Amino acid sequence: MPIHHRLRRVALLCSLILIAVPAPAQAAYPSKPVTLVVGYPPSGSADLTARTVAAELGNKLGVPVLVENLSGAGGTIGAQKVASAAADGYTLLVGGNNELVINGLVTRKPKYGIGDFSAIGLIASQPLVLVASPGAGVRNLAEFTRKVAQNPGKFSYGSSGVGTSLHLAGELVKEQGQLFMTHIPYRGVAPLVHDLVGRNLEYGMFVLSSSLPHIRSGKLIALGTTEARRSASTPDIPALAESPQYRAVDIGTWFALMAPAKLPKPVFDKLKKALGDSLQSPEFRKKLEANGSSIAAAGTDTDQFLAAELAKYRKIVESARIEE
């Protein structure tokens, strides 16, 4: 038999053997630890939410879920890492409105967009709260509105930075109340509290949980929370929307579990079920509700929610002409 016929026969036999041997099966997800990125430093509301979620997801998935604090640029550094990660379910994000929605509206050249993520589901939300310094000379929302309206441009309010949900909430209050105040951006909550308590600033906008100790101690005066209804954790603080002048104020901070876009459906479904089961855990609910959060309602369509938030914030940004 000619040599080339023999070689052809050997090649054919090798190919038949390769076809007969099954390819190694892919390991079922998850087969190794999962990283949960949070774009803020430890001890804040985002970090607390992420660590509470990580513990529950770890129990449901059967693997460790490790929290990585990758803080900076208002949460966008952590979000960018997840947006560009492999879509395999091993790198996830606990993200909020600042980095997921607002960043794309106020940044000239955003490095990622909401389309770069798969939305697993909402976790929880929390209202913001408008506060007054004891030196402002007001005790409630009516007094605040009257005093600021009568002195346009005289007073200022602070937030944790330009283009944050706190800043946008302040601009919404100004618009609804037809008020003229100057926005003062701060690098975080601590210096904002310092200036309010020290009577160097009249008003401020906070996430409810970060201001509660100062409200309870009497160092700050709560004028109203920013969601449509009073928070269950602070029924003694009225919602701004209870006043007819501010009835359109319905804004807060929220957190969602996100993965890179194009996540395989079996992985997406497993993560969605694990999150849904976690939200029903009494221990999970207890921890987050103690921090002033409301757990996301079962069956919420996360994509629709994000689209509605995007439309709401776009309107505020365009009206106030906010740009970083």
Side-chain angles (χ1 to χ4, degrees):
M1 179 182 292
I3 186 66
H4 66 274
H5 287 302
R6 292 179 183 177
L7 291 174
R8 186 180 299 170
R9 178 177 291 184
V10 170
L12 179 60
L13 287 172
C14 288
S15 64
L16 290 173
I17 290 170
L18 288 173
I19 293 171
V21 176
Q26 279 191 328
Y29 175 84
S31 60
K32 61 182 181 179
V34 173
T35 298
L36 189 58
V37 176
V38 57
Y40 299 91
S43 78
S45 57
D47 180 69
L48 172 66
T49 302
R51 292 184 185 278
T52 307
V53 169
E56 287 294 332
L57 285 180
N59 291 335
K60 303 298 185 292
L61 295 173
V63 296
V65 177
L66 310 174
V67 174
E68 179 184 1
N69 293 93
L70 197 58
S71 58
T76 60
I77 293 176
Q80 187 179 346
K81 175 179 178 175
V82 176
S84 59
D88 55 10
Y90 290 102
T91 306
L92 308 175
L93 173 75
V94 168
N97 30 3
N98 287 345
E99 59 270 33
L100 291 175
V101 175
I102 300 173
N103 175 67
L105 297 173
V106 300
T107 304
R108 291 186 180 183
K109 294 181 179 180
K111 296 180 179 179
Y112 63 87
I114 194 67
D116 293 317
F117 297 96
S118 296
I120 306 300
L122 287 174
I123 301 168
S125 64
Q126 190 174 146
L128 311 178
V129 60
L130 176 65
V131 303
S133 162
V138 302
R139 305 298 303 179
N140 54 51
L141 183 63
E143 291 180 6
F144 157 80
T145 303
R146 184 165 55 251
K147 189 166 187 175
V148 175
Q150 290 173 353
N151 298 274
K154 183 178 180 180
F155 302 114
S156 301
Y157 81 94
S159 79
S160 58
V162 174
T164 62
S165 59
L166 304 177
H167 178 199
L168 270 61
E171 294 303 306
L172 181 59
V173 168
K174 284 171 55 178
E175 178 186 319
Q176 295 298 308
Q178 299 181 8
L179 306 173
F180 176 36
M181 289 190 294
T182 301
H183 172 239
I184 308 295
Y186 283 77
R187 291 183 176 271
V189 171
L192 175 55
V193 171
H194 181 271
D195 273 8
L196 284 165
V197 173
R199 306 190 179 199
N200 297 316
L201 181 71
E202 294 87 14
Y203 306 104
M205 191 68 75
F206 287 86
V207 175
L208 179 60
S209 59
S210 64
S211 64
L212 269 181
H214 309 293
I215 293 171
R216 296 306 188 207
S217 68
K219 293 179 180 179
L220 297 177
I221 300 162
L223 302 178
T225 53
T226 62
E227 290 183 336
R229 297 177 181 81
R230 297 189 185 201
S231 169
S233 63
T234 56
D236 54 322
I237 301 178
L240 295 174
E242 293 175 25
S243 169
Q245 194 166 359
Y246 299 96
R247 62 182 178 275
V249 174
D250 184 12
I251 193 170
T253 187
W254 45 261
F255 298 105
L257 182 63
M258 311 293 284
K262 300 180 181 178
L263 194 66
K265 190 173 187 306
V267 177
F268 178 91
D269 290 344
K270 191 157 191 175
L271 284 169
K272 190 171 185 65
K273 184 180 188 307
L275 177 63
D277 292 344
S278 296
L279 297 182
Q280 300 306 312
S281 163
E283 186 65 22
F284 178 92
R285 301 179 74 90
K286 181 179 178 182
K287 284 182 180 179
L288 288 191
E289 287 172 353
N291 193 46
S293 296
S294 299
I295 306 302
T300 301
D301 187 313
T302 309
D303 289 324
Q304 286 185 6
F305 173 84
L306 291 173
E309 288 290 288
L310 186 64
K312 175 169 65 179
Y313 284 118
R314 178 178 284 113
K315 185 177 179 182
I316 299 171
V317 167
E318 289 176 352
S319 176
R321 298 180 180 178
I322 298 170
E323 187 176 89
E324 285 189 329

